[in-house]
Amino acid sequence: METTEWFSEDQATFGDRVAGAREAAHLTQKQLAGKIGVKLTTLRGWEDDLTEPRANKLQMLAGLLGVSMTWLLTGQGEGPTEPTEGEISPGVSDILSQIRELRVQMQDNVKKMGQLERQLRAALKE
């Protein structure tokens, strides 16, 4: 699966978009947390998709990262500027491609596991 997209709408999560936009803005997690006025653990929770920010913090995130709130939430709209061809080495591009491929496989496996769990529950009820 070869892709040249920086973020893929169907694969990137809210946390992926926050982390990607933060990195594109050349900010560390600690720096961004300080600018927004949240604890580092809170920002990590957002990037790890464990929690989501309230509307006021979402608006601050979008403003500081130079992206739209819609993009942060859905992946559609104005996101960070994509790196130019010269900024990403071929080796890094290959690694990113493999990561995207693994993410898709993991999502498929999670769906399959959910189906199997439902089948198991139904079989146990019999």
Side-chain angles (χ1 to χ4, degrees):
M1 178 178 149
E2 185 66 30
T3 181
T4 57
E5 292 181 24
W6 190 41
F7 278 104
S8 177
E9 288 178 35
D10 60 336
Q11 295 175 15
T13 64
F14 172 80
D16 293 334
R17 287 186 287 274
V18 171
R22 175 183 54 76
E23 290 168 3
H26 306 290
L27 294 170
T28 65
Q29 286 181 328
K30 186 175 182 178
Q31 290 170 327
L32 181 57
K35 289 179 182 280
I36 295 172
V38 298
K39 293 179 181 179
L40 180 57
T41 55
T42 300
L43 180 65
R44 286 184 178 150
W46 297 344
E47 289 191 3
D48 292 338
D49 292 307
L50 300 174
T51 59
E52 291 183 356
R54 292 188 175 164
N56 63 331
K57 296 298 183 185
L58 179 65
Q59 186 175 12
M60 290 176 71
L61 261 179
L64 284 167
L65 298 175
V67 298
S68 70
M69 288 191 300
T70 303
W71 182 82
L72 281 174
L73 293 171
T74 67
Q76 298 177 347
E78 187 178 331
T81 306
E82 294 183 18
T84 60
E85 290 282 328
E87 291 180 22
I88 297 179
S89 70
V92 171
S93 183
D94 290 343
I95 292 168
L96 288 172
S97 179
Q98 290 177 36
I99 288 171
R100 287 184 191 110
E101 201 171 315
L102 283 173
R103 181 175 285 136
V104 169
Q105 290 172 2
M106 287 172 51
Q107 289 171 339
D108 289 343
N109 286 337
V110 167
K111 288 178 188 176
K112 288 176 187 175
M113 189 172 8
Q115 292 170 345
L116 289 172
E117 286 175 346
R118 284 189 290 279
Q119 290 174 2
L120 178 61
R121 279 192 219 110
L124 292 173
K125 287 182 182 179
E126 296 175 356

